[in-house]
Amino acid sequence: MSEQSPASWSNSIRRLHLTVALLVTVQIIIGLTMDRHTPKLVWTHFYMGLAISALVLWHWFWILTRERPLLHHLFPWSPRRLGEAIADARAAIGGKLPQSGPSGSSLAGLVHGFGLLALTAVAALGTTLFILIKLNMSRGELGETIEDLHATFAWFLIVYWCGHVLLATVHEARGDRVIGRMFRLGK
């Protein structure tokens, strides 16, 4: 298995990224505004979460069966790739942004991999919580623990989302058309 990632994102990954990005953005807004007094928002959150869970599962399936080289980009765990990520982080601290894209820097891949893992955790815990609620088992210690973990990973995902959008904007401002390349905007 080659560690070489493709030079650009496939159309399938582009569409999946756009769909997940839009749904997660709406889900974050709903999650931050809902409470027990807004049952329609709560149920919208549950069902949208299930849709996101299905997309996350599809994303994993797609990467594992169709685009395996992206695993090396998203999870650069080899000593060489981890060394590259550390060097990229040092350069970023010095003001040099790492190259984006699937064949970009190990740091960019590592960050995206952490985002996918956080989203996977939020989706899996949310789906488990939904099942417990449907089975009337959510008010026990297990349900409360899963709800707390879901909320913790959701906050991590919110911070990740904010950083992701901020850094994409910084890349754009510096002339690296990362948003345009990801979503094929403009020339």
Side-chain angles (χ1 to χ4, degrees):
M1 167 63 66
S2 167
E3 283 192 35
Q4 187 63 33
S5 292
S8 64
W9 302 110
S10 70
N11 287 334
S12 298
I13 291 294
R14 289 173 203 272
R15 286 189 296 269
L16 187 59
H17 186 273
L18 178 61
T19 304
V20 169
L22 292 173
L23 289 176
V24 167
T25 300
V26 172
Q27 190 72 321
I28 287 170
I29 294 166
I30 291 171
L32 291 172
T33 58
M34 71 179 195
D35 61 24
R36 293 190 175 149
H37 304 293
T38 56
K40 286 183 181 178
L41 282 181
V42 171
W43 286 103
T44 300
H45 185 78
F46 282 139
Y47 289 114
M48 189 175 289
L50 292 174
I52 292 170
S53 293
L55 287 171
V56 168
L57 190 60
W58 178 252
H59 194 157
W60 279 107
F61 173 78
W62 192 262
I63 288 173
L64 292 171
T65 62
R66 303 288 177 113
E67 300 197 38
R68 284 190 62 88
L70 285 179
L71 284 174
H72 297 287
H73 175 68
L74 295 172
F75 306 106
W77 304 131
S78 71
R80 179 182 64 81
R81 297 292 306 259
L82 281 174
E84 290 171 359
I86 291 168
D88 290 340
R90 287 185 181 133
I93 290 169
K96 182 178 184 250
L97 291 177
Q99 181 185 353
S100 62
S103 61
S105 81
S106 293
L107 178 62
L110 181 67
V111 169
H112 284 96
F114 280 137
L116 180 57
L117 290 176
L119 181 59
T120 301
V122 171
L125 291 163
T127 299
T128 303
L129 189 59
F130 178 82
I131 291 167
L132 290 176
I133 288 169
K134 285 298 196 181
L135 295 174
N136 293 318
M137 297 172 56
S138 65
R139 291 295 152 220
E141 189 175 322
L142 176 63
E144 289 179 18
T145 300
I146 291 172
E147 189 172 356
D148 289 345
L149 285 170
H150 176 72
T152 299
F153 280 105
W155 276 108
F156 180 82
L157 190 60
I158 290 168
V159 170
Y160 173 85
W161 183 92
C162 290
H164 194 64
V165 170
L166 175 65
L167 286 174
T169 304
V170 169
H171 272 279
E172 286 289 325
R174 291 210 171 166
D176 180 12
R177 296 192 59 254
V178 64
I179 296 170
R181 285 186 293 121
M182 179 52 150
F183 300 116
R184 290 204 173 150
L185 303 172
K187 293 181 180 180

